[in-house]
Amino acid sequence: MLTRRSLILSAACLPFTRAVRAATPEVFATHGIAIHGTDPVAYFRQSARVDGDAGFALVWRGAEWRFSSAENRLAFEMDPSAYAPQYGGYCAYAMAQGAMAPTVPEAWTVHEGKLYLNFSTGVRELWRQDIPGHVAAADDHWPRVIGG
């Protein structure tokens, strides 16, 4: 139930919410490493989650990206937007709801040549129920959510 007290508390928290959003990194990274060290190119080339190697790493958009081979690293270097997950690697389903959530590398989908990650494999099942609809909603929310 919405009360005067909850409205006052919500208004008091608003500046902090904006500050957090403004400080939100463009790429979801755990300890500075994107996709928990998983090779993003492998999702496309091997249709599988493959661990990257720190020996084949590069920094892009403030995060370290790891690859399983020099060939995959070069492919990413030549066209990072072709291989990087949508919405900075944040949960695609959450973004469709106008929110941000972390992801796990096991909960992935390649759809129409783009990589989408989800919070969990259970959430991925919700995502897969209407990928085109969720993509449209997430595409609409992404600039506002990341931009604050």
Side-chain angles (χ1 to χ4, degrees):
M1 183 167 123
L2 192 60
T3 65
R4 179 182 156 98
R5 183 169 190 255
S6 65
L7 283 173
I8 291 169
L9 287 173
S10 295
C13 293
L14 188 59
F16 298 108
T17 303
R18 286 187 181 148
V20 169
R21 283 187 178 169
T24 301
E26 184 179 355
V27 172
F28 171 69
T30 303
H31 306 292
I33 301 171
I35 319 176
H36 301 275
T38 298
D39 181 343
V41 177
Y43 287 119
F44 295 90
R45 293 190 170 178
Q46 295 172 258
S47 297
R49 179 198 176 279
V50 176
D51 288 333
D53 183 320
F56 300 116
L58 63 83
V59 175
W60 181 70
R61 295 204 171 165
E64 180 180 307
W65 299 78
R66 294 184 178 177
F67 304 90
S68 57
S69 68
E71 179 183 3
N72 282 6
R73 181 182 62 201
L74 180 60
F76 188 90
E77 281 181 296
M78 298 302 287
D79 191 4
S81 63
Y83 298 104
Q86 300 300 294
Y87 320 119
Y90 291 96
C91 179
Y93 182 78
M95 190 58 58
Q97 312 309 309
M100 294 181 84
T103 54
V104 294
E106 299 80 18
W108 62 278
T109 303
V110 172
H111 176 74
E112 295 185 356
K114 294 183 179 180
L115 174 61
Y116 300 93
L117 298 174
N118 292 115
F119 176 78
S120 67
T121 55
V123 170
R124 179 182 60 189
E125 294 311 310
L126 294 172
W127 166 256
R128 288 181 171 174
Q129 290 176 11
D130 180 16
I131 294 175
H134 294 313
V135 167
D139 285 352
D140 186 50
H141 290 299
W142 172 243
R144 289 189 300 263
V145 170
I146 196 67

